Amino acid sequence: MNEDYMFEDETIHEEKTDIPHYPQPEPGIGLAVASFILGIISLVFFISFINVFSAITAVVLAIIFLVNQKERQGRVFAIFGIITAVASVICLIVSLFAVSLNINHVIPLYNDFITTYGLEDEYNYIEMEDGVYHIPEELEQQ
């Protein structure tokens, strides 16, 4: 046979063996951006306990990024992710503390709500004796 002549299968086979080798992509700032977004989410939802999980995740992702990444690119996102996550936990603690200080004002509001809307038949009063609120026995049995 003539050497100038090639079958189609041989050309396809040659193309398959000549695969170029691309360089591996550089590590990006994905962890830092994810940390920043989770920090913002935890700051927005600070009144719920969802922020605790997203804040912990944000801090962990930021620390992983800062330990593995030696360059300056993305460090700002990671740092702000930590700041927003810590701020959301602080806001949660402050709000829970404020609610616990004002709990004595909630029960009179509850009683006023019952009398204002005429719900005495469905709901019972929470009564105060000796400066301490006591739940009526009818409510405790339910």
Side-chain angles (χ1 to χ4, degrees):
M1 261 191 152
N2 191 353
E3 292 181 15
D4 294 334
Y5 182 77
M6 289 184 119
F7 292 107
E8 286 183 28
D9 294 338
E10 292 177 6
T11 58
I12 293 173
H13 181 67
E14 288 177 7
E15 290 175 6
K16 287 182 181 177
T17 58
D18 191 25
I19 298 174
H21 295 283
Y22 296 107
Q24 293 294 324
E26 294 293 322
I29 61 171
L31 287 176
V33 172
S35 168
F36 181 61
I37 290 172
L38 285 172
I40 290 174
I41 289 172
S42 67
L43 192 59
V44 169
F45 295 110
F46 77 90
I47 200 67
S48 66
F49 287 100
I50 294 172
N51 79 318
V52 174
F53 301 115
S54 61
I56 290 171
T57 307
V59 169
V60 168
L61 289 178
I63 290 172
I64 290 172
F65 178 80
L66 291 172
V67 167
N68 291 337
Q69 193 75 357
K70 301 299 181 203
E71 299 174 8
R72 289 185 61 88
Q73 183 181 10
R75 293 177 70 86
V76 173
F77 282 117
I79 291 169
F80 276 114
I82 292 173
I83 290 170
T84 54
V86 170
S88 73
V89 173
I90 290 171
C91 287
L92 174 69
I93 292 169
V94 168
S95 66
L96 289 176
F97 183 70
V99 168
S100 67
L101 286 179
N102 294 319
I103 197 69
N104 288 335
H105 301 290
V106 172
I107 294 174
L109 288 174
Y110 169 78
N111 290 336
D112 290 341
F113 179 79
I114 289 174
T115 56
T116 303
Y117 292 103
L119 301 173
E120 292 91 357
D121 296 335
E122 292 90 14
Y123 299 100
N124 295 323
Y125 290 106
I126 298 178
E127 300 164 356
M128 183 174 189
E129 296 174 9
D130 301 327
V132 178
Y133 288 102
H134 297 282
I135 299 175
E137 293 179 10
E138 299 91 27
L139 287 177
E140 289 180 358
Q141 292 174 358
Q142 294 175 357

